[in-house]
Amino acid sequence: MREAARPMQAQPMESVIDNKAEAEFELVVSGKRAVAAYQMEGDTIVFTHTIVPKALEGRGVGSKLIRAALDSARDRGLKVIPQCPFVAAFIEKHPEYRALLR
């Protein structure tokens, strides 16, 4: 008797962390670290660049990272300047974040 194939379970992603000492939101998946770097300017967070390792591309890691970073900005009452093209594109695709723009 053959055992039925079990559905593959998705690997859970770790939580996004705001590493304030490094001014980066970070997300570690499968031992690889994705980051969204930022600079604080008063009540504004400027996202300067996002790095997602090639091994993690196409898995939603960057989107999870930026969504958490923008949610954090909203929760803290910050305005956002997306210098990073990835962050700008994410906000363009998700209009619920446009009110955060400075």
Side-chain angles (χ1 to χ4, degrees):
M1 181 184 231
R2 254 172 95 183
E3 187 176 322
R6 291 184 217 173
M8 290 185 65
Q9 293 185 358
Q11 287 268 356
M13 285 192 202
E14 298 295 323
S15 297
V16 174
I17 296 167
D18 182 1
N19 183 343
K20 291 180 175 130
E22 297 293 326
E24 294 176 335
F25 283 89
E26 57 185 49
L27 175 57
V28 177
V29 179
S30 300
K32 308 245 186 287
R33 186 173 166 264
V35 299
Y38 64 86
Q39 297 172 343
M40 293 302 304
E41 296 179 3
D43 67 345
T44 302
I45 186 167
V46 180
F47 288 99
T48 57
H49 64 276
T50 302
I51 300 170
V52 176
K54 286 227 181 270
L56 299 179
E57 288 179 0
R59 295 172 52 186
V61 172
S63 292
K64 179 176 179 173
L65 177 66
I66 298 309
R67 183 179 304 279
L70 293 173
D71 286 346
S72 174
R74 181 185 304 158
D75 292 347
R76 293 164 51 195
L78 300 174
K79 287 296 186 180
V80 171
I81 296 176
Q83 286 181 349
C84 168
F86 186 85
V87 177
F90 184 90
I91 293 171
E92 183 64 28
K93 290 177 189 170
H94 298 89
E96 65 271 24
Y97 292 107
R98 291 185 190 151
L100 295 175
L101 295 174
R102 166 122 354 239

